[in-house]
């Protein structure tokens, strides 16, 4: 059996470092907003090439706190990708603003810069490009459009720790980047965690206050804030894992290369992810497309290969967003992707032999699937 992601082996590979981090926190007697969070913020900001990092409770709150700090709320619109994990949309909804979906370029899976301007209205305040599956979004054209229209840019970096765009790490291309340290991410805690990186000192200071009951000085509350703090234990564990991020991402890139070579030219129906010329992906996920995706997943499961779908239902078709009134067929590119995407196993502890076994299983499964009519495969 080849697991989709072996979190147990990933973390056990660092057992001694993680136990030492736990001992340090236990021995310190200090569990919230102390030395470990401060050091992690310093180290992660440096890793991202950003001026500041603010640790928060999770990735969703990293985004909603930034939007709130920018004063975005009811009556405002925020442009989001039509295909993303639902957190990107919910962060907008949580501040009372309206998510305005823009379709992706199916070749990159990322928001299509050429479609953004048509979605801008007098109410638009910000754009949230998502570096989906670890591949950096096309930040240069996105930032150009945002500047021309006076919009803020918040990047959703939850899937792209360590990735770079045009020679520069993700971390401060836009006005702020929101990160998640959910256990399955490239930099994952042993529980929930999140952060914001930015070059904007005033934003960082506002976030430090917002995450902690609107307080910058103990028991003095300047505004109605939240409780959204990265805790000391998770920060200490993340400090132990941060030095292995680049090696883990290099291993992921090698697996992706092996998949691309091993599956190239196999079948016109199997669409492999495109490699960006001007960016280094974090290869959080290796996502293929196939018109008979569910059957392909089933055949892989029968061959002992784990796979997952990111994601099975488009955000606008979720019951949670029925009130937006976006019917089936209204965002056809996103809908076609949601019907066809399948994520193959990838992770820092996956071996070449395991990767080859996945390749063999995919080759066998694809060959066994019925060729389908052109209409069924058309987006
Ligand atoms: C994981 C993820 C998030 C949310 O992170 P949490 O820490 O689980 O709140 C946001 N956006 C994307 C694209 C994600 O993959």
């Amino acid at each position: 059996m080849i697991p989709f992601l072996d979190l147990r082996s990933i973390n056990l590979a660092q057992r001694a470092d993680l136990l030492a981090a736990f001992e340090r926190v236990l021995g310190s007697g200090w569990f919230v907003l102390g030395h470990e969070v401060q050091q992690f913020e310093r180290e992660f900001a440096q890793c991202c090439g950003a001026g500041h990092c603010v640790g928060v409770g999770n990735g969703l709150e990293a985004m909603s706190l930034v939007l709130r700090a920018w004063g975005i709320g009811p009556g405002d619109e925020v442009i989001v990708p039509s295909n993303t994990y639902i957190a990107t949309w919910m962060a907008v909804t949580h501040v009372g603003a309206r998510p305005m979906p823009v379709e992706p370029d199916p070749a990159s899976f990322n928001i299509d810069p050429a479609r953004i301007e048509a979605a801008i209205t007098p109410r638009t305040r910000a754009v949230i490009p998502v570096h989906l599956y670890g591949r950096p979004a096309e930040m240069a054209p996105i930032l150009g459009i945002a500047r021309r229209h006076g919009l803020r840019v918040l990047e959703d970096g939850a899937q792209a720790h360590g990735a770079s765009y045009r020679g520069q790490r993700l971390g401060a291309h836009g006005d702020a980047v929101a990160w998640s340290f959910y256990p399955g991410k490239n930099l994952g805690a042993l529980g929930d965690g999140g952060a914001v990186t930015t070059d904007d000192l005033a934003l960082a200071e506002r976030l430090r206050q917002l995450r902690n009951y609107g307080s910058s000085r103990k028991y003095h509350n300047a505004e109605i804030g939240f409780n959204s703090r990265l805790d000391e234990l998770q920060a200490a564990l993340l400090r132990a894992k941060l030095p292995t991020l680049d090696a883990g991402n290099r291993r992921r890139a090698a697996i992706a290369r092996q998949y691309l070579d091993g599956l190239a030219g196999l079948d016109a129906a199997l669409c492999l992810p495109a490699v960006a010329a001007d960016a280094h992906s974090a290869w959080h996920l290796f996502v293929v497309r196939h018109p008979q995706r569910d059957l392909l997943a089933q055949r892989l499961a029968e061959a002992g290969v784990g796979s997952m779908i990111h994601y099975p239902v488009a955000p606008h078709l979720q019951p949670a967003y029925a009130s937006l009134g976006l019917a089936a067929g209204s965002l056809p590119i996103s809908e076609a992707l949601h019907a066809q995407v399948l994520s193959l196993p990838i992770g820092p502890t996956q071996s070449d032999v395991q990767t080859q076994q996945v390749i063999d299983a995919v080759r066998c499964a694809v060959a066994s699937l019925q060729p389908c009519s052109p209409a069924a495969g058309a987006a």
Side-chain angles (χ1 to χ4, degrees):
M1 178 69 199
I2 298 169
F4 172 72
L5 178 67
D6 190 353
L7 271 184
R8 195 181 131 80
S9 80
I10 290 169
N11 287 305
L12 282 178
Q14 284 201 264
R15 187 170 193 271
D17 296 336
L18 295 172
L19 288 176
F22 176 77
E23 289 278 5
R24 215 165 57 230
V25 174
L26 186 65
S28 78
W30 193 281
F31 305 106
V32 171
L33 294 186
H35 176 75
E36 298 292 337
V37 168
Q38 210 170 61
Q39 287 304 115
F40 174 72
E41 289 177 343
R42 193 165 300 165
E43 290 157 10
F44 191 61
Q46 188 167 22
C47 162
C48 295
H52 313 280
C53 171
V54 181
V56 297
N58 54 63
L60 170 65
E61 291 171 351
M63 286 187 279
S64 62
L65 290 174
V66 169
L67 296 175
R68 217 174 275 277
W70 286 340
I72 294 174
D76 294 331
E77 295 173 357
V78 176
I79 291 173
V80 295
S82 56
N83 64 319
T84 177
Y85 180 56
I86 196 117
T88 320
W89 288 42
M90 285 200 182
V92 176
T93 309
H94 280 183
V95 301
R98 186 181 173 93
M100 301 296 283
V102 167
E103 291 269 61
D105 175 348
S108 70
F109 297 113
N110 280 328
I111 193 166
D112 185 349
R115 295 171 182 270
I116 291 176
E117 251 165 338
I120 296 173
T121 76
R123 294 169 183 268
T124 309
R125 300 283 311 279
V127 187
I128 312 183
V130 179
H131 307 300
L132 200 66
Y133 308 150
R135 177 184 165 134
E138 284 184 69
M139 293 308 296
I142 293 169
L143 290 168
I145 294 163
R147 263 186 231 109
R148 278 202 299 285
H149 294 269
L151 309 178
R152 308 264 197 182
V153 177
L154 167 60
E155 301 165 62
D156 180 343
Q159 301 189 355
H161 315 74
S164 62
Y165 175 77
R166 299 198 177 171
Q168 205 183 321
R169 293 271 188 154
L170 298 183
H173 289 269
D175 298 301
V177 186
W179 304 93
S180 163
F181 306 119
Y182 181 82
K185 310 294 192 190
N186 287 33
L187 179 61
L190 304 188
D192 278 309
V196 175
T197 55
T198 181
D199 279 342
D200 180 345
L201 173 63
L203 174 64
E205 285 179 343
R206 182 78 194 289
L207 291 170
R208 285 184 206 289
Q209 184 166 290
L210 277 174
R211 74 174 172 184
N212 190 28
Y213 290 100
S215 168
S216 300
R217 196 175 135 216
K218 201 167 176 70
Y219 304 134
H220 292 259
N221 307 86
E223 62 181 320
I224 310 284
F226 299 83
N227 178 349
S228 182
R229 303 172 295 218
L230 178 64
D231 68 62
E232 284 285 283
L233 183 55
Q234 297 305 335
L237 298 170
L238 287 165
R239 288 184 69 200
K241 293 184 78 173
L242 183 58
T244 69
L245 173 65
D246 285 344
N249 282 356
R250 278 195 297 274
R251 180 69 207 133
R252 288 171 180 274
I255 293 165
R257 177 40 59 200
Q258 196 180 340
Y259 278 146
L260 290 169
D261 291 343
L263 297 171
L266 178 57
D267 187 319
L270 182 76
C271 184
L272 300 176
V275 176
D278 59 354
H280 286 291
S281 175
W283 289 109
H284 175 59
L285 296 172
F286 188 92
V287 178
V288 301
R289 288 160 58 197
H290 195 283
Q292 290 159 290
R293 185 265 316 275
D294 292 338
L295 260 181
L296 175 57
Q298 194 185 314
R299 297 282 155 85
L300 290 179
E302 286 160 11
V305 171
S307 66
M308 284 187 77
I309 298 169
H310 298 93
Y311 297 90
V313 181
H316 70 287
L317 300 180
Q318 297 282 3
Y321 279 110
S323 64
L324 288 180
L326 295 165
S330 63
L331 294 163
I333 300 175
S334 171
E335 290 169 29
L337 289 178
H338 282 83
Q340 295 183 351
V341 291
L342 188 68
S343 306
L344 301 183
I346 193 166
T349 59
Q350 185 173 310
S351 69
D352 290 350
V353 171
Q354 288 178 311
T355 306
Q356 188 56 48
Q357 284 169 341
V358 177
I359 291 169
D360 294 341
V362 172
R363 296 185 79 96
C364 181
V366 166
S368 78
L369 295 176
Q370 295 287 315
C372 51
S373 68

